[in-house]
Amino acid sequence: MKTVDVVCIGASLLDISTFEIDKDGFFEREPNIVGSISFSAGGDATNQSIVLSHLGHKVKFITKLGSDDAGNVLYDKLEKSGVDMSLIARGDQDIASVCNIILIGKDDTRVYITNATDCKSSIASFCEKDIDYSVLTQAKVVSIGSLFVHPLLGNEAMTKIFKTVKEAGGITCADVKADDLDCSMNRYSQALPYLDFLFANEKEAKNLTGLMETEQMADYFLSLGIGTIIIKLGGKGCFVKTSNGDEFFDTPFFVDPVDTTGAGDNFMAGFISGLIRGCSIHECVQYAKATSAICVGSIGASTGVKSMEQVFTFMKKRLGQNA
């Protein structure tokens, strides 16, 4: 009997977002007047943890925070969201929690300023010793917020994580953060055969495969031993293909976006919620589409989705009474 619905492993950081920036002459003006500024908890696994908790699931979160003001803010935000924080590693005074400053233009283009890659940041220093492997056997699903984010979690560590979960009868999921063309799936070659579901957006999939066609990108990922690949296509929807040959495109639930930050993390959280509930892959995608659509209707990566009832209501409006 599994005692935990999901264990999320990955990054936690403080997002400071500025909206409606006029990029022309930005560095020549003082002060720069923006539309609004928001502070929120961010990071792939953080967003997933909060949304999954809002959906009513029992969530344990494994991450690392600095023992600083930003770390305290993040800890408080996660705790108030109902996420189990008992496995959080707190760094010593030399470890800095990660902050992202997101400059969002009037045309929705974005520039990110971050200290994530500093060797003494909470993300860069997060390593295998910060992970309690015993809890992984208790979970229905274990999700890696994103591959390639934590430099000290390489092939050996990921293989141990995924293998531990699979041997205990759990489900493994992972997203990727692969904006860098130098990223290669070879980094996790031994771990990938133990990975049930991989999520990647279209740009990341192109970077990791060197291919341009969605179906070909999916086939490449499956050739590595992954069970199912989900390629997120933004406003075009998503493409799903399994190792047994099943494949399908699905269009999104269209909404007027307010803030697209965290849309992919919410998509993954919705999909995982479906897995926890024992849904089919097609049904999981509907939950993923709904949580993602609700997310972009609010400012902040984890503020839109409030409850499973909210998601059910949204889906019934879009899909009818069969939702």
Side-chain angles (χ1 to χ4, degrees):
M1 175 68 70
K2 299 293 186 182
T3 58
V4 180
D5 288 332
V6 57
V7 173
C8 295
I9 303 173
S12 189
L13 52 90
L14 188 63
D15 278 335
I16 305 169
S17 301
T18 62
F19 296 86
E20 298 182 32
I21 288 178
D22 184 356
K23 296 182 296 182
D24 293 335
F26 180 81
F27 288 101
E28 284 72 45
R29 286 192 305 273
E30 188 177 351
N32 278 280
I33 307 301
V34 299
S36 61
I37 300 175
S38 71
F39 294 78
S40 60
D44 39 37
T46 298
N47 297 333
Q48 292 169 29
S49 296
I50 293 174
V51 173
L52 283 162
S53 180
H54 288 174
L55 293 174
H57 299 297
K58 187 174 182 179
V59 183
K60 285 183 178 288
F61 186 25
I62 300 177
T63 191
K64 189 171 190 175
L65 299 174
S67 297
D68 50 18
D69 290 342
N72 294 336
V73 169
L74 287 166
Y75 192 97
D76 183 61
K77 170 68 173 176
L78 285 156
E79 192 170 47
K80 287 180 178 178
S81 297
V83 176
D84 187 327
M85 303 291 286
S86 60
L87 302 174
I88 300 294
R90 298 300 296 265
D92 57 29
Q93 296 302 317
D94 291 335
I95 300 299
S97 298
V98 171
C99 294
N100 273 355
I101 301 173
I102 308 170
L103 308 178
I104 305 173
K106 292 181 178 180
D107 58 355
D108 201 42
T109 56
R110 296 167 184 242
V111 174
Y112 291 82
I113 303 170
T114 183
N115 64 329
T117 58
D118 187 307
C119 65
K120 290 187 177 181
S121 78
S122 54
I123 287 179
S125 63
F126 184 51
C127 61
E128 191 174 352
K129 70 177 183 179
D130 296 317
I131 298 172
D132 181 349
Y133 282 88
S134 65
V135 76
L136 304 184
T137 64
Q138 304 169 20
K140 295 176 183 177
V141 179
V142 172
S143 172
I144 300 296
S146 288
L147 300 175
F148 301 106
V149 167
H150 303 285
L152 299 182
L153 292 180
N155 205 2
E156 183 177 347
M158 286 299 174
T159 301
K160 184 177 179 181
I161 291 170
F162 292 153
K163 189 175 181 180
T164 298
V165 177
K166 294 301 296 176
E167 289 179 345
I171 299 171
T172 55
C173 300
D175 206 328
V176 296
K177 181 69 173 176
D179 295 330
D180 190 337
L181 290 172
D182 292 333
C183 292
S184 170
M185 295 302 289
N186 290 333
R187 180 180 178 187
Y188 305 106
S189 59
Q190 296 175 12
L192 298 178
Y194 298 101
L195 179 57
D196 294 312
F197 296 93
L198 178 70
F199 298 75
N201 67 36
E202 189 172 23
K203 179 181 177 181
E204 292 163 339
K206 288 178 179 178
N207 287 347
L208 289 168
T209 66
L211 301 168
M212 298 301 293
E213 298 298 325
T214 304
E215 293 89 343
Q216 293 178 358
M217 292 188 284
D219 287 338
Y220 170 81
F221 288 118
L222 294 176
S223 74
L224 303 177
I226 298 165
T228 298
I229 172 67
I230 300 96
I231 300 178
K232 297 169 288 185
L233 303 171
K236 296 179 290 184
C238 66
F239 177 72
V240 181
K241 189 168 184 177
T242 71
S243 56
N244 63 15
D246 293 338
E247 62 180 78
F248 62 94
F249 279 98
D250 206 333
T251 55
F253 294 130
F254 293 101
V255 296
D256 291 326
V258 175
D259 178 15
T260 59
T261 305
D265 298 332
N266 278 255
F267 182 97
M268 190 169 176
F271 192 98
I272 290 172
S273 180
L275 291 176
I276 294 168
R277 295 165 56 83
C279 296
S280 69
I281 292 178
H282 284 267
E283 291 169 331
C284 289
V285 168
Q286 302 312 308
Y287 284 113
K289 290 164 48 180
T291 49
S292 180
I294 293 170
C295 165
V296 302
S298 300
I299 293 177
S302 58
T303 56
V305 175
K306 308 293 186 185
S307 67
M308 183 63 80
E309 182 180 0
Q310 174 198 23
V311 174
F312 284 154
T313 299
F314 179 91
M315 292 174 67
K316 285 180 179 179
K317 288 180 178 178
R318 296 304 181 99
L319 298 173
Q321 295 303 311
N322 292 327

